[in-house]
Amino acid sequence: MAGSTPGPVRILVVDDDPGDVLMIEEALADSDVDKVIDVVSDGQEAMEFLRQSGRHTEARRPDVILLDLNMPRMDGRQVLGEVKQDADLRTIPIVVLTTSNADTDIVGSYTLQANAYVTKPIDLDDFNDVVRRIDEFFGRVVVLPKRV
């Protein structure tokens, strides 16, 4: 039912914390939304994935990106800025999913055109619930842009 998206919803998780990635993957696996999950561990690798370069020449365009802010090499703010300034990538919805609840990060992310800002809950059940709600929203509720 994901609007005009044929097949499974493609989710790109950009996060350098293996524990958070595992929790995100497990929470996503708990829902019955048909999806494919790709994971990259920093912003530089995310841009290679999105531009199908480096090790990611075979990468498929994601329908939605779950983006952490604080990562090595290239942080989430830089990724957000680059994606939203790129005519080929800017229509991909980006959900900032991070531990920071600082006003500067929230305002800064929306200024860079994040589609949503979600603070990672500390409690595991709450974390799972938040990720499942994001999954349901993008997998069932919203109409996503057609893949190009």
Side-chain angles (χ1 to χ4, degrees), residues 58-93:
E58 301 295 317
R60 302 276 308 275
R61 178 186 176 94
D63 295 307
V64 65
I65 299 170
L66 300 183
L67 178 67
D68 188 24
L69 287 184
N70 300 310
M71 297 178 291
R73 296 202 299 167
M74 179 183 206
D75 71 16
R77 296 161 196 83
Q78 293 168 296
V79 171
L80 190 53
E82 279 199 35
V83 169
K84 293 304 182 177
Q85 288 179 15
D86 186 310
D88 294 328
L89 302 174
R90 72 173 52 136
T91 59
I92 301 171

mmCIF file of all heavy atoms in Angstrom, residues 58-93:
data_model
loop_
_atom_site.group_PDB
_atom_site.id
_atom_site.type_symbol
_atom_site.label_atom_id
_atom_site.label_comp_id
_atom_site.label_asym_id
_atom_site.label_seq_id
_atom_site.Cartn_x
_atom_site.Cartn_y
_atom_site.Cartn_z
ATOM 1 N N GLU A 58 26.413 -1.318 -7.284
ATOM 2 C CA GLU A 58 25.177 -2.068 -7.522
ATOM 3 C C GLU A 58 24.053 -1.658 -6.570
ATOM 4 O O GLU A 58 22.995 -2.293 -6.533
ATOM 5 C CB GLU A 58 25.435 -3.576 -7.368
ATOM 6 C CG GLU A 58 26.485 -4.123 -8.322
ATOM 7 C CD GLU A 58 26.054 -4.040 -9.782
ATOM 8 O OE1 GLU A 58 24.881 -4.353 -10.070
ATOM 9 O OE2 GLU A 58 26.890 -3.645 -10.618
ATOM 10 N N ALA A 59 24.264 -0.608 -5.791
ATOM 11 C CA ALA A 59 23.272 -0.195 -4.795
ATOM 12 C C ALA A 59 21.970 0.222 -5.459
ATOM 13 O O ALA A 59 21.970 0.798 -6.546
ATOM 14 C CB ALA A 59 23.819 0.962 -3.958
ATOM 15 N N ARG A 60 20.872 -0.089 -4.792
ATOM 16 C CA ARG A 60 19.543 0.311 -5.268
ATOM 17 C C ARG A 60 19.098 1.536 -4.485
ATOM 18 O O ARG A 60 19.320 1.625 -3.275
ATOM 19 C CB ARG A 60 18.551 -0.832 -5.037
ATOM 20 C CG ARG A 60 18.909 -2.152 -5.713
ATOM 21 C CD ARG A 60 18.484 -2.247 -7.160
ATOM 22 N NE ARG A 60 17.085 -1.935 -7.377
ATOM 23 C CZ ARG A 60 16.077 -2.799 -7.265
ATOM 24 N NH1 ARG A 60 16.316 -4.051 -6.926
ATOM 25 N NH2 ARG A 60 14.836 -2.421 -7.480
ATOM 26 N N ARG A 61 18.448 2.445 -5.156
ATOM 27 C CA ARG A 61 17.977 3.681 -4.535
ATOM 28 C C ARG A 61 16.993 3.361 -3.401
ATOM 29 O O ARG A 61 16.017 2.638 -3.596
ATOM 30 C CB ARG A 61 17.288 4.537 -5.588
ATOM 31 C CG ARG A 61 16.713 5.845 -5.062
ATOM 32 C CD ARG A 61 15.932 6.544 -6.172
ATOM 33 N NE ARG A 61 15.283 7.747 -5.714
ATOM 34 C CZ ARG A 61 15.817 8.962 -5.809
ATOM 35 N NH1 ARG A 61 16.993 9.117 -6.372
ATOM 36 N NH2 ARG A 61 15.165 10.012 -5.360
ATOM 37 N N PRO A 62 17.242 3.926 -2.215
ATOM 38 C CA PRO A 62 16.307 3.671 -1.111
ATOM 39 C C PRO A 62 15.038 4.512 -1.265
ATOM 40 O O PRO A 62 15.033 5.556 -1.916
ATOM 41 C CB PRO A 62 17.103 4.114 0.120
ATOM 42 C CG PRO A 62 18.060 5.128 -0.384
ATOM 43 C CD PRO A 62 18.389 4.724 -1.803
ATOM 44 N N ASP A 63 13.967 4.030 -0.643
ATOM 45 C CA ASP A 63 12.716 4.785 -0.594
ATOM 46 C C ASP A 63 12.703 5.730 0.597
ATOM 47 O O ASP A 63 12.001 6.740 0.585
ATOM 48 C CB ASP A 63 11.528 3.827 -0.489
ATOM 49 C CG ASP A 63 11.400 2.962 -1.726
ATOM 50 O OD1 ASP A 63 11.362 3.517 -2.840
ATOM 51 O OD2 ASP A 63 11.357 1.724 -1.574
ATOM 52 N N VAL A 64 13.467 5.385 1.631
ATOM 53 C CA VAL A 64 13.563 6.207 2.831
ATOM 54 C C VAL A 64 14.928 5.962 3.473
ATOM 55 O O VAL A 64 15.491 4.868 3.363
ATOM 56 C CB VAL A 64 12.395 5.911 3.811
ATOM 57 C CG1 VAL A 64 12.480 4.492 4.333
ATOM 58 C CG2 VAL A 64 12.338 6.911 4.942
ATOM 59 N N ILE A 65 15.453 6.997 4.129
ATOM 60 C CA ILE A 65 16.744 6.900 4.814
ATOM 61 C C ILE A 65 16.527 7.163 6.298
ATOM 62 O O ILE A 65 15.879 8.152 6.672
ATOM 63 C CB ILE A 65 17.748 7.936 4.251
ATOM 64 C CG1 ILE A 65 18.001 7.684 2.760
ATOM 65 C CG2 ILE A 65 19.064 7.900 5.046
ATOM 66 C CD1 ILE A 65 18.780 8.799 2.065
ATOM 67 N N LEU A 66 17.050 6.266 7.151
ATOM 68 C CA LEU A 66 17.107 6.491 8.599
ATOM 69 C C LEU A 66 18.532 6.921 8.894
ATOM 70 O O LEU A 66 19.466 6.143 8.715
ATOM 71 C CB LEU A 66 16.753 5.217 9.371
ATOM 72 C CG LEU A 66 15.373 4.618 9.122
ATOM 73 C CD1 LEU A 66 15.162 3.399 10.025
ATOM 74 C CD2 LEU A 66 14.278 5.647 9.345
ATOM 75 N N LEU A 67 18.712 8.149 9.337
ATOM 76 C CA LEU A 67 20.026 8.778 9.418
ATOM 77 C C LEU A 67 20.401 9.197 10.829
ATOM 78 O O LEU A 67 19.699 9.990 11.455
ATOM 79 C CB LEU A 67 20.026 10.015 8.498
ATOM 80 C CG LEU A 67 21.276 10.867 8.443
ATOM 81 C CD1 LEU A 67 22.436 10.098 7.794
ATOM 82 C CD2 LEU A 67 20.996 12.151 7.661
ATOM 83 N N ASP A 68 21.522 8.670 11.316
ATOM 84 C CA ASP A 68 22.079 9.122 12.583
ATOM 85 C C ASP A 68 22.848 10.415 12.324
ATOM 86 O O ASP A 68 23.361 10.628 11.219
ATOM 87 C CB ASP A 68 23.014 8.044 13.147
ATOM 88 C CG ASP A 68 23.483 8.354 14.556
ATOM 89 O OD1 ASP A 68 22.792 9.101 15.285
ATOM 90 O OD2 ASP A 68 24.554 7.848 14.947
ATOM 91 N N LEU A 69 22.949 11.275 13.308
ATOM 92 C CA LEU A 69 23.679 12.532 13.119
ATOM 93 C C LEU A 69 25.163 12.417 13.405
ATOM 94 O O LEU A 69 25.988 12.941 12.654
ATOM 95 C CB LEU A 69 23.096 13.641 14.004
ATOM 96 C CG LEU A 69 21.758 14.228 13.606
ATOM 97 C CD1 LEU A 69 21.393 15.373 14.539
ATOM 98 C CD2 LEU A 69 21.746 14.690 12.165
ATOM 99 N N ASN A 70 25.522 11.759 14.491
ATOM 100 C CA ASN A 70 26.916 11.765 14.950
ATOM 101 C C ASN A 70 27.649 10.515 14.500
ATOM 102 O O ASN A 70 27.478 9.442 15.074
ATOM 103 C CB ASN A 70 26.943 11.906 16.481
ATOM 104 C CG ASN A 70 26.278 13.198 16.914
ATOM 105 O OD1 ASN A 70 26.586 14.262 16.408
ATOM 106 N ND2 ASN A 70 25.335 13.094 17.829
ATOM 107 N N MET A 71 28.453 10.687 13.437
ATOM 108 C CA MET A 71 29.212 9.576 12.858
ATOM 109 C C MET A 71 30.587 10.074 12.437
ATOM 110 O O MET A 71 30.776 11.272 12.214
ATOM 111 C CB MET A 71 28.489 9.024 11.615
ATOM 112 C CG MET A 71 27.136 8.432 11.892
ATOM 113 S SD MET A 71 26.334 7.876 10.377
ATOM 114 C CE MET A 71 25.995 9.425 9.555
ATOM 115 N N PRO A 72 31.542 9.145 12.296
ATOM 116 C CA PRO A 72 32.882 9.548 11.846
ATOM 117 C C PRO A 72 32.908 9.871 10.350
ATOM 118 O O PRO A 72 31.951 9.589 9.632
ATOM 119 C CB PRO A 72 33.730 8.308 12.145
ATOM 120 C CG PRO A 72 32.765 7.169 12.095
ATOM 121 C CD PRO A 72 31.454 7.726 12.590
ATOM 122 N N ARG A 73 33.996 10.427 9.904
ATOM 123 C CA ARG A 73 34.300 10.772 8.506
ATOM 124 C C ARG A 73 33.361 11.830 7.936
ATOM 125 O O ARG A 73 33.796 12.869 7.500
ATOM 126 C CB ARG A 73 34.321 9.552 7.586
ATOM 127 C CG ARG A 73 35.417 8.561 7.938
ATOM 128 C CD ARG A 73 35.810 7.674 6.806
ATOM 129 N NE ARG A 73 34.735 6.849 6.299
ATOM 130 C CZ ARG A 73 34.797 6.177 5.161
ATOM 131 N NH1 ARG A 73 35.856 6.248 4.397
ATOM 132 N NH2 ARG A 73 33.786 5.436 4.770
ATOM 133 N N MET A 74 32.093 11.581 7.910
ATOM 134 C CA MET A 74 31.101 12.535 7.416
ATOM 135 C C MET A 74 29.852 12.335 8.254
ATOM 136 O O MET A 74 29.279 11.250 8.261
ATOM 137 C CB MET A 74 30.823 12.261 5.935
ATOM 138 C CG MET A 74 29.797 13.154 5.307
ATOM 139 S SD MET A 74 29.507 12.644 3.591
ATOM 140 C CE MET A 74 28.958 14.186 2.908
ATOM 141 N N ASP A 75 29.445 13.368 8.975
ATOM 142 C CA ASP A 75 28.313 13.167 9.886
ATOM 143 C C ASP A 75 26.971 13.313 9.166
ATOM 144 O O ASP A 75 26.901 13.662 7.978
ATOM 145 C CB ASP A 75 28.418 14.059 11.120
ATOM 146 C CG ASP A 75 28.169 15.541 10.848
ATOM 147 O OD1 ASP A 75 27.618 15.888 9.784
ATOM 148 O OD2 ASP A 75 28.514 16.356 11.720
ATOM 149 N N GLY A 76 25.909 13.038 9.903
ATOM 150 C CA GLY A 76 24.572 13.051 9.336
ATOM 151 C C GLY A 76 24.138 14.410 8.824
ATOM 152 O O GLY A 76 23.389 14.507 7.860
ATOM 153 N N ARG A 77 24.619 15.471 9.457
ATOM 154 C CA ARG A 77 24.262 16.816 9.007
ATOM 155 C C ARG A 77 24.799 17.063 7.599
ATOM 156 O O ARG A 77 24.110 17.632 6.748
ATOM 157 C CB ARG A 77 24.836 17.860 9.966
ATOM 158 C CG ARG A 77 24.262 17.780 11.369
ATOM 159 C CD ARG A 77 25.192 18.500 12.369
ATOM 160 N NE ARG A 77 24.888 18.149 13.730
ATOM 161 C CZ ARG A 77 25.338 17.049 14.343
ATOM 162 N NH1 ARG A 77 26.101 16.176 13.710
ATOM 163 N NH2 ARG A 77 25.019 16.809 15.595
ATOM 164 N N GLN A 78 26.038 16.619 7.378
ATOM 165 C CA GLN A 78 26.650 16.780 6.059
ATOM 166 C C GLN A 78 25.921 15.939 5.013
ATOM 167 O O GLN A 78 25.697 16.395 3.890
ATOM 168 C CB GLN A 78 28.133 16.391 6.116
ATOM 169 C CG GLN A 78 28.972 17.337 6.957
ATOM 170 C CD GLN A 78 30.352 16.756 7.236
ATOM 171 O OE1 GLN A 78 30.490 15.728 7.898
ATOM 172 N NE2 GLN A 78 31.375 17.410 6.708
ATOM 173 N N VAL A 79 25.542 14.721 5.386
ATOM 174 C CA VAL A 79 24.788 13.855 4.472
ATOM 175 C C VAL A 79 23.458 14.516 4.118
ATOM 176 O O VAL A 79 23.089 14.616 2.942
ATOM 177 C CB VAL A 79 24.534 12.461 5.092
ATOM 178 C CG1 VAL A 79 23.575 11.651 4.228
ATOM 179 C CG2 VAL A 79 25.840 11.721 5.297
ATOM 180 N N LEU A 80 22.759 14.984 5.132
ATOM 181 C CA LEU A 80 21.470 15.637 4.924
ATOM 182 C C LEU A 80 21.613 16.821 3.967
ATOM 183 O O LEU A 80 20.846 16.957 3.007
ATOM 184 C CB LEU A 80 20.924 16.088 6.280
ATOM 185 C CG LEU A 80 19.504 16.592 6.382
ATOM 186 C CD1 LEU A 80 18.508 15.613 5.790
ATOM 187 C CD2 LEU A 80 19.181 16.868 7.846
ATOM 188 N N GLY A 81 22.625 17.639 4.194
ATOM 189 C CA GLY A 81 22.859 18.789 3.331
ATOM 190 C C GLY A 81 23.140 18.389 1.892
ATOM 191 O O GLY A 81 22.592 18.966 0.948
ATOM 192 N N GLU A 82 23.987 17.381 1.714
ATOM 193 C CA GLU A 82 24.341 16.946 0.352
ATOM 194 C C GLU A 82 23.156 16.311 -0.369
ATOM 195 O O GLU A 82 22.930 16.581 -1.540
ATOM 196 C CB GLU A 82 25.518 15.964 0.380
ATOM 197 C CG GLU A 82 26.846 16.659 0.509
ATOM 198 C CD GLU A 82 28.017 15.783 0.087
ATOM 199 O OE1 GLU A 82 27.869 14.973 -0.855
ATOM 200 O OE2 GLU A 82 29.076 15.919 0.718
ATOM 201 N N VAL A 83 22.427 15.460 0.328
ATOM 202 C CA VAL A 83 21.294 14.776 -0.308
ATOM 203 C C VAL A 83 20.233 15.788 -0.732
ATOM 204 O O VAL A 83 19.724 15.738 -1.849
ATOM 205 C CB VAL A 83 20.688 13.704 0.626
ATOM 206 C CG1 VAL A 83 19.361 13.186 0.084
ATOM 207 C CG2 VAL A 83 21.667 12.557 0.818
ATOM 208 N N LYS A 84 19.900 16.704 0.142
ATOM 209 C CA LYS A 84 18.822 17.651 -0.157
ATOM 210 C C LYS A 84 19.233 18.713 -1.182
ATOM 211 O O LYS A 84 18.379 19.394 -1.734
ATOM 212 C CB LYS A 84 18.307 18.293 1.138
ATOM 213 C CG LYS A 84 17.602 17.293 2.050
ATOM 214 C CD LYS A 84 16.455 16.566 1.352
ATOM 215 C CE LYS A 84 15.731 15.603 2.268
ATOM 216 N NZ LYS A 84 14.584 14.951 1.634
ATOM 217 N N GLN A 85 20.531 18.840 -1.469
ATOM 218 C CA GLN A 85 20.976 19.751 -2.518
ATOM 219 C C GLN A 85 21.190 19.040 -3.849
ATOM 220 O O GLN A 85 21.451 19.681 -4.862
ATOM 221 C CB GLN A 85 22.278 20.451 -2.099
ATOM 222 C CG GLN A 85 22.062 21.471 -1.013
ATOM 223 C CD GLN A 85 23.344 22.151 -0.578
ATOM 224 O OE1 GLN A 85 24.361 22.067 -1.250
ATOM 225 N NE2 GLN A 85 23.288 22.831 0.545
ATOM 226 N N ASP A 86 21.060 17.725 -3.859
ATOM 227 C CA ASP A 86 21.287 16.934 -5.064
ATOM 228 C C ASP A 86 19.943 16.700 -5.765
ATOM 229 O O ASP A 86 19.051 16.058 -5.214
ATOM 230 C CB ASP A 86 21.926 15.594 -4.676
ATOM 231 C CG ASP A 86 22.332 14.749 -5.861
ATOM 232 O OD1 ASP A 86 21.494 14.550 -6.773
ATOM 233 O OD2 ASP A 86 23.475 14.252 -5.864
ATOM 234 N N ALA A 87 19.810 17.194 -6.980
ATOM 235 C CA ALA A 87 18.544 17.098 -7.714
ATOM 236 C C ALA A 87 18.075 15.656 -7.886
ATOM 237 O O ALA A 87 16.876 15.396 -7.925
ATOM 238 C CB ALA A 87 18.669 17.782 -9.065
ATOM 239 N N ASP A 88 18.998 14.708 -7.971
ATOM 240 C CA ASP A 88 18.628 13.303 -8.165
ATOM 241 C C ASP A 88 18.228 12.606 -6.863
ATOM 242 O O ASP A 88 17.560 11.578 -6.898
ATOM 243 C CB ASP A 88 19.782 12.526 -8.806
ATOM 244 C CG ASP A 88 20.068 12.988 -10.224
ATOM 245 O OD1 ASP A 88 19.119 13.412 -10.926
ATOM 246 O OD2 ASP A 88 21.244 12.929 -10.618
ATOM 247 N N LEU A 89 18.656 13.142 -5.731
ATOM 248 C CA LEU A 89 18.436 12.459 -4.454
ATOM 249 C C LEU A 89 17.459 13.172 -3.527
ATOM 250 O O LEU A 89 16.923 12.557 -2.604
ATOM 251 C CB LEU A 89 19.779 12.300 -3.721
ATOM 252 C CG LEU A 89 20.880 11.532 -4.445
ATOM 253 C CD1 LEU A 89 22.179 11.591 -3.643
ATOM 254 C CD2 LEU A 89 20.467 10.095 -4.715
ATOM 255 N N ARG A 90 17.195 14.430 -3.736
ATOM 256 C CA ARG A 90 16.476 15.250 -2.752
ATOM 257 C C ARG A 90 15.070 14.782 -2.430
ATOM 258 O O ARG A 90 14.523 15.134 -1.386
ATOM 259 C CB ARG A 90 16.461 16.704 -3.165
ATOM 260 C CG ARG A 90 15.563 17.030 -4.332
ATOM 261 C CD ARG A 90 15.458 18.513 -4.607
ATOM 262 N NE ARG A 90 16.759 19.118 -4.723
ATOM 263 C CZ ARG A 90 17.113 20.001 -5.649
ATOM 264 N NH1 ARG A 90 16.228 20.414 -6.522
ATOM 265 N NH2 ARG A 90 18.329 20.488 -5.683
ATOM 266 N N THR A 91 14.474 13.978 -3.312
ATOM 267 C CA THR A 91 13.107 13.522 -3.034
ATOM 268 C C THR A 91 13.057 12.307 -2.108
ATOM 269 O O THR A 91 11.965 11.885 -1.721
ATOM 270 C CB THR A 91 12.360 13.193 -4.340
ATOM 271 O OG1 THR A 91 13.079 12.173 -5.034
ATOM 272 C CG2 THR A 91 12.197 14.432 -5.213
ATOM 273 N N ILE A 92 14.208 11.757 -1.754
ATOM 274 C CA ILE A 92 14.218 10.616 -0.828
ATOM 275 C C ILE A 92 13.922 11.140 0.584
ATOM 276 O O ILE A 92 14.656 11.984 1.098
ATOM 277 C CB ILE A 92 15.579 9.882 -0.825
ATOM 278 C CG1 ILE A 92 15.923 9.364 -2.224
ATOM 279 C CG2 ILE A 92 15.563 8.741 0.192
ATOM 280 C CD1 ILE A 92 17.353 8.826 -2.344
ATOM 281 N N PRO A 93 12.859 10.660 1.223
ATOM 282 C CA PRO A 93 12.579 11.106 2.589
ATOM 283 C C PRO A 93 13.694 10.676 3.544
ATOM 284 O O PRO A 93 14.184 9.542 3.473
ATOM 285 C CB PRO A 93 11.267 10.394 2.942
ATOM 286 C CG PRO A 93 10.678 9.968 1.647
ATOM 287 C CD PRO A 93 11.833 9.744 0.720
#
